[in-house]
Amino acid sequence: MRDGQENPAARNILVCDTTLRDGEQTCGVAFRVEEKVRIARLLDEMGVDCIDAGFPASSQADQEAVRGITALGLRARVVAFCRPNRAEIDLARSCGANAVYTFVPTSDVHMRVKFGGDGSEVRERLKREMADGVAYAKSLGMFVGCGSEDATRTPYDYLEEVLVLAQESGADLVGVADTVGSSTPDDFRTLVSRLRARISVLLSLHCHNDFGLATANTVAGILGGADEVQCTVNGIGERAGNASLEEVTVALTQLYGFSANVDLSRLKPMSDLIAGLSRIEVSPMKPIVGGNAFSHESGLHVSSVMRDPTAYEPLRPELVGHTRRIVIGKHSGKSIVSHVLDAHGLSYDDGVLGEVLREVKRVAVLTKSSVTEAQMVGIYHERIANPV
Ligand code: MN
């Protein structure tokens, strides 16, 4: 356990997946309604606690998606994203939503850009509208979340004032968004723990990855006392994306010892599905789900991994639905050559091994690629037939 402040095992972290809403806001991504319904069903089966199903005010298609997903009667809470005004809350409700995640911009820059000022007049108006919207949604019997947009660039006292007001207005959950991904783990943990001292309802985190810190910031916020993480499959989302479901759930449960309801063995299949439907390929180096996440080529690594995978794997690939892969190429060593030749029932001595390995490396460099088992067997037969 990394954190001496608490016993993480005592806490179950809630996971809210926003692939269908914030994830779809990725440039160039558009899921069809039937795809969203299918993804939502799978997210539910996977065990996420909450599904952000869409922003009804943004499009007819989002309205249809929210309708389709709420109609499934999932175990997960299905939330519609909206601004805290009666029209958008009514619209969310007309789409079947029993839960809304509302948001209000709180940073000076967002208030200036969106409302023409950051003075007390704008602040008071936004607070009034937020409080009214939250209370209205509560009066309809909905589960109500209310988050601060751009919370991490908001003066702390004002942020706390807004979120405490949201709580007092009846919000069941308040959210903190690192909207442009510019917080740091230290700052974010401090921010969340200060808010935690004032917020008794659920506290949710929404981090972006502009500096590659979305996962680290999300974890830090949980250590600061938050209850829920918002994330997307493969970390898709605007600009550099959101905190990734895979990284966050695996880090929190495997490194920190928190519990979560997500079935980790579904992470890789889910990642493949979203990569396909979003038409955004996952980097081979992506933690947990990338093609290389459990691949080994270098001779020293391969010979160790073949004896005991834990030598170079911090996780079992099966845990996350992935598979181990031994790649043959320029960095290979003799152990993989003998392994393949044995598997094919071929006889050899040390000289032949060295010979085949040299040719494998030469071909790999020449083609700037890996070499398949079949190619290696081919090389073996050529060398045996035409020894140098
Ligand atoms: Mn976002």
Side-chain angles (χ1 to χ4, degrees), residues 265-284:
S265 72
R266 288 177 172 253
L267 289 173
K268 174 61 174 162
M270 179 60 87
S271 164
D272 291 344
L273 175 70
I274 296 300
L277 295 179
S278 66
R279 306 269 200 274
I280 296 181
E281 282 187 35
V282 169
S283 160

PDB file of all heavy atoms in Angstrom, residues 265-284:
ATOM      1  N   SER A 265     -11.027  -7.924 -16.223  1.00  0.00           N
ATOM      2  CA  SER A 265     -10.749  -8.803 -17.365  1.00  0.00           C
ATOM      3  C   SER A 265     -11.498  -8.361 -18.624  1.00  0.00           C
ATOM      4  O   SER A 265     -11.259  -8.862 -19.713  1.00  0.00           O
ATOM      5  CB  SER A 265     -11.108 -10.248 -17.033  1.00  0.00           C
ATOM      6  OG  SER A 265     -12.510 -10.401 -16.983  1.00  0.00           O
ATOM      7  N   ARG A 266     -12.404  -7.400 -18.472  1.00  0.00           N
ATOM      8  CA  ARG A 266     -13.111  -6.888 -19.652  1.00  0.00           C
ATOM      9  C   ARG A 266     -12.440  -5.649 -20.249  1.00  0.00           C
ATOM     10  O   ARG A 266     -12.916  -5.080 -21.241  1.00  0.00           O
ATOM     11  CB  ARG A 266     -14.553  -6.547 -19.284  1.00  0.00           C
ATOM     12  CG  ARG A 266     -15.389  -7.802 -19.058  1.00  0.00           C
ATOM     13  CD  ARG A 266     -16.777  -7.409 -18.632  1.00  0.00           C
ATOM     14  NE  ARG A 266     -17.652  -8.551 -18.575  1.00  0.00           N
ATOM     15  CZ  ARG A 266     -18.625  -8.788 -19.476  1.00  0.00           C
ATOM     16  NH1 ARG A 266     -18.798  -7.974 -20.493  1.00  0.00           N
ATOM     17  NH2 ARG A 266     -19.401  -9.828 -19.352  1.00  0.00           N
ATOM     18  N   LEU A 267     -11.359  -5.207 -19.621  1.00  0.00           N
ATOM     19  CA  LEU A 267     -10.746  -3.949 -20.078  1.00  0.00           C
ATOM     20  C   LEU A 267     -10.205  -4.050 -21.506  1.00  0.00           C
ATOM     21  O   LEU A 267     -10.437  -3.160 -22.322  1.00  0.00           O
ATOM     22  CB  LEU A 267      -9.634  -3.522 -19.111  1.00  0.00           C
ATOM     23  CG  LEU A 267     -10.116  -3.026 -17.738  1.00  0.00           C
ATOM     24  CD1 LEU A 267      -8.930  -2.785 -16.816  1.00  0.00           C
ATOM     25  CD2 LEU A 267     -10.946  -1.745 -17.891  1.00  0.00           C
ATOM     26  N   LYS A 268      -9.465  -5.100 -21.791  1.00  0.00           N
ATOM     27  CA  LYS A 268      -8.867  -5.203 -23.125  1.00  0.00           C
ATOM     28  C   LYS A 268      -9.932  -5.377 -24.213  1.00  0.00           C
ATOM     29  O   LYS A 268      -9.911  -4.649 -25.217  1.00  0.00           O
ATOM     30  CB  LYS A 268      -7.825  -6.340 -23.134  1.00  0.00           C
ATOM     31  CG  LYS A 268      -7.232  -6.667 -24.489  1.00  0.00           C
ATOM     32  CD  LYS A 268      -6.486  -5.506 -25.130  1.00  0.00           C
ATOM     33  CE  LYS A 268      -5.793  -5.975 -26.405  1.00  0.00           C
ATOM     34  NZ  LYS A 268      -5.415  -4.830 -27.271  1.00  0.00           N
ATOM     35  N   PRO A 269     -10.905  -6.299 -24.031  1.00  0.00           N
ATOM     36  CA  PRO A 269     -11.958  -6.386 -25.061  1.00  0.00           C
ATOM     37  C   PRO A 269     -12.716  -5.062 -25.234  1.00  0.00           C
ATOM     38  O   PRO A 269     -13.046  -4.664 -26.351  1.00  0.00           O
ATOM     39  CB  PRO A 269     -12.902  -7.474 -24.525  1.00  0.00           C
ATOM     40  CG  PRO A 269     -12.098  -8.271 -23.558  1.00  0.00           C
ATOM     41  CD  PRO A 269     -11.031  -7.367 -23.012  1.00  0.00           C
ATOM     42  N   MET A 270     -12.966  -4.356 -24.143  1.00  0.00           N
ATOM     43  CA  MET A 270     -13.676  -3.078 -24.239  1.00  0.00           C
ATOM     44  C   MET A 270     -12.821  -2.057 -24.989  1.00  0.00           C
ATOM     45  O   MET A 270     -13.314  -1.302 -25.826  1.00  0.00           O
ATOM     46  CB  MET A 270     -14.014  -2.582 -22.831  1.00  0.00           C
ATOM     47  CG  MET A 270     -14.728  -1.261 -22.791  1.00  0.00           C
ATOM     48  SD  MET A 270     -16.302  -1.266 -23.672  1.00  0.00           S
ATOM     49  CE  MET A 270     -17.384  -1.854 -22.391  1.00  0.00           C
ATOM     50  N   SER A 271     -11.530  -2.059 -24.698  1.00  0.00           N
ATOM     51  CA  SER A 271     -10.613  -1.154 -25.393  1.00  0.00           C
ATOM     52  C   SER A 271     -10.630  -1.432 -26.896  1.00  0.00           C
ATOM     53  O   SER A 271     -10.687  -0.506 -27.713  1.00  0.00           O
ATOM     54  CB  SER A 271      -9.189  -1.345 -24.835  1.00  0.00           C
ATOM     55  OG  SER A 271      -8.249  -0.772 -25.695  1.00  0.00           O
ATOM     56  N   ASP A 272     -10.601  -2.702 -27.263  1.00  0.00           N
ATOM     57  CA  ASP A 272     -10.623  -3.059 -28.692  1.00  0.00           C
ATOM     58  C   ASP A 272     -11.915  -2.589 -29.349  1.00  0.00           C
ATOM     59  O   ASP A 272     -11.906  -2.061 -30.461  1.00  0.00           O
ATOM     60  CB  ASP A 272     -10.497  -4.586 -28.850  1.00  0.00           C
ATOM     61  CG  ASP A 272      -9.115  -5.104 -28.467  1.00  0.00           C
ATOM     62  OD1 ASP A 272      -8.173  -4.295 -28.376  1.00  0.00           O
ATOM     63  OD2 ASP A 272      -8.997  -6.328 -28.243  1.00  0.00           O
ATOM     64  N   LEU A 273     -13.018  -2.759 -28.638  1.00  0.00           N
ATOM     65  CA  LEU A 273     -14.309  -2.350 -29.197  1.00  0.00           C
ATOM     66  C   LEU A 273     -14.338  -0.832 -29.433  1.00  0.00           C
ATOM     67  O   LEU A 273     -14.744  -0.356 -30.503  1.00  0.00           O
ATOM     68  CB  LEU A 273     -15.443  -2.750 -28.241  1.00  0.00           C
ATOM     69  CG  LEU A 273     -16.835  -2.265 -28.643  1.00  0.00           C
ATOM     70  CD1 LEU A 273     -17.327  -3.015 -29.879  1.00  0.00           C
ATOM     71  CD2 LEU A 273     -17.833  -2.411 -27.508  1.00  0.00           C
ATOM     72  N   ILE A 274     -13.896  -0.077 -28.422  1.00  0.00           N
ATOM     73  CA  ILE A 274     -13.945   1.381 -28.553  1.00  0.00           C
ATOM     74  C   ILE A 274     -12.941   1.873 -29.599  1.00  0.00           C
ATOM     75  O   ILE A 274     -13.224   2.803 -30.355  1.00  0.00           O
ATOM     76  CB  ILE A 274     -13.704   2.059 -27.185  1.00  0.00           C
ATOM     77  CG1 ILE A 274     -14.844   1.695 -26.216  1.00  0.00           C
ATOM     78  CG2 ILE A 274     -13.588   3.578 -27.327  1.00  0.00           C
ATOM     79  CD1 ILE A 274     -16.237   2.109 -26.662  1.00  0.00           C
ATOM     80  N   ALA A 275     -11.786   1.209 -29.675  1.00  0.00           N
ATOM     81  CA  ALA A 275     -10.820   1.599 -30.720  1.00  0.00           C
ATOM     82  C   ALA A 275     -11.477   1.431 -32.091  1.00  0.00           C
ATOM     83  O   ALA A 275     -11.345   2.281 -32.973  1.00  0.00           O
ATOM     84  CB  ALA A 275      -9.551   0.752 -30.609  1.00  0.00           C
ATOM     85  N   GLY A 276     -12.205   0.347 -32.256  1.00  0.00           N
ATOM     86  CA  GLY A 276     -12.862   0.089 -33.540  1.00  0.00           C
ATOM     87  C   GLY A 276     -13.981   1.074 -33.818  1.00  0.00           C
ATOM     88  O   GLY A 276     -14.033   1.686 -34.885  1.00  0.00           O
ATOM     89  N   LEU A 277     -14.859   1.263 -32.857  1.00  0.00           N
ATOM     90  CA  LEU A 277     -16.029   2.114 -33.099  1.00  0.00           C
ATOM     91  C   LEU A 277     -15.666   3.600 -33.159  1.00  0.00           C
ATOM     92  O   LEU A 277     -16.354   4.382 -33.803  1.00  0.00           O
ATOM     93  CB  LEU A 277     -17.096   1.874 -32.022  1.00  0.00           C
ATOM     94  CG  LEU A 277     -17.723   0.468 -32.010  1.00  0.00           C
ATOM     95  CD1 LEU A 277     -18.742   0.356 -30.881  1.00  0.00           C
ATOM     96  CD2 LEU A 277     -18.387   0.153 -33.355  1.00  0.00           C
ATOM     97  N   SER A 278     -14.580   3.978 -32.472  1.00  0.00           N
ATOM     98  CA  SER A 278     -14.173   5.391 -32.507  1.00  0.00           C
ATOM     99  C   SER A 278     -13.225   5.655 -33.669  1.00  0.00           C
ATOM    100  O   SER A 278     -12.925   6.798 -33.991  1.00  0.00           O
ATOM    101  CB  SER A 278     -13.483   5.791 -31.200  1.00  0.00           C
ATOM    102  OG  SER A 278     -12.249   5.105 -31.063  1.00  0.00           O
ATOM    103  N   ARG A 279     -12.739   4.580 -34.275  1.00  0.00           N
ATOM    104  CA  ARG A 279     -11.717   4.663 -35.330  1.00  0.00           C
ATOM    105  C   ARG A 279     -10.447   5.354 -34.809  1.00  0.00           C
ATOM    106  O   ARG A 279      -9.759   6.048 -35.555  1.00  0.00           O
ATOM    107  CB  ARG A 279     -12.234   5.451 -36.538  1.00  0.00           C
ATOM    108  CG  ARG A 279     -13.549   4.936 -37.109  1.00  0.00           C
ATOM    109  CD  ARG A 279     -13.290   3.917 -38.206  1.00  0.00           C
ATOM    110  NE  ARG A 279     -14.427   3.757 -39.067  1.00  0.00           N
ATOM    111  CZ  ARG A 279     -15.446   2.926 -38.834  1.00  0.00           C
ATOM    112  NH1 ARG A 279     -15.461   2.218 -37.718  1.00  0.00           N
ATOM    113  NH2 ARG A 279     -16.417   2.814 -39.707  1.00  0.00           N
ATOM    114  N   ILE A 280     -10.183   5.189 -33.521  1.00  0.00           N
ATOM    115  CA  ILE A 280      -8.943   5.738 -32.960  1.00  0.00           C
ATOM    116  C   ILE A 280      -8.131   4.590 -32.403  1.00  0.00           C
ATOM    117  O   ILE A 280      -8.486   3.992 -31.385  1.00  0.00           O
ATOM    118  CB  ILE A 280      -9.225   6.766 -31.845  1.00  0.00           C
ATOM    119  CG1 ILE A 280      -9.971   7.964 -32.430  1.00  0.00           C
ATOM    120  CG2 ILE A 280      -7.908   7.232 -31.202  1.00  0.00           C
ATOM    121  CD1 ILE A 280     -10.267   9.038 -31.419  1.00  0.00           C
ATOM    122  N   GLU A 281      -7.036   4.302 -33.089  1.00  0.00           N
ATOM    123  CA  GLU A 281      -6.186   3.197 -32.645  1.00  0.00           C
ATOM    124  C   GLU A 281      -5.485   3.563 -31.358  1.00  0.00           C
ATOM    125  O   GLU A 281      -5.130   4.710 -31.120  1.00  0.00           O
ATOM    126  CB  GLU A 281      -5.144   2.888 -33.721  1.00  0.00           C
ATOM    127  CG  GLU A 281      -5.730   2.099 -34.870  1.00  0.00           C
ATOM    128  CD  GLU A 281      -4.669   1.656 -35.854  1.00  0.00           C
ATOM    129  OE1 GLU A 281      -3.547   1.360 -35.397  1.00  0.00           O
ATOM    130  OE2 GLU A 281      -4.978   1.628 -37.058  1.00  0.00           O
ATOM    131  N   VAL A 282      -5.273   2.543 -30.553  1.00  0.00           N
ATOM    132  CA  VAL A 282      -4.582   2.725 -29.285  1.00  0.00           C
ATOM    133  C   VAL A 282      -3.081   2.611 -29.540  1.00  0.00           C
ATOM    134  O   VAL A 282      -2.649   1.751 -30.296  1.00  0.00           O
ATOM    135  CB  VAL A 282      -5.062   1.621 -28.312  1.00  0.00           C
ATOM    136  CG1 VAL A 282      -4.202   1.570 -27.069  1.00  0.00           C
ATOM    137  CG2 VAL A 282      -6.522   1.857 -27.957  1.00  0.00           C
ATOM    138  N   SER A 283      -2.316   3.488 -28.932  1.00  0.00           N
ATOM    139  CA  SER A 283      -0.861   3.400 -29.080  1.00  0.00           C
ATOM    140  C   SER A 283      -0.388   2.049 -28.553  1.00  0.00           C
ATOM    141  O   SER A 283      -0.868   1.578 -27.517  1.00  0.00           O
ATOM    142  CB  SER A 283      -0.190   4.509 -28.268  1.00  0.00           C
ATOM    143  OG  SER A 283       1.167   4.173 -28.025  1.00  0.00           O
ATOM    144  N   PRO A 284       0.580   1.415 -29.255  1.00  0.00           N
ATOM    145  CA  PRO A 284       1.089   0.131 -28.744  1.00  0.00           C
ATOM    146  C   PRO A 284       1.625   0.259 -27.316  1.00  0.00           C
ATOM    147  O   PRO A 284       1.582  -0.690 -26.544  1.00  0.00           O
ATOM    148  CB  PRO A 284       2.232  -0.210 -29.705  1.00  0.00           C
ATOM    149  CG  PRO A 284       1.980   0.595 -30.933  1.00  0.00           C
ATOM    150  CD  PRO A 284       1.214   1.819 -30.519  1.00  0.00           C
TER     151      PRO A 284
END
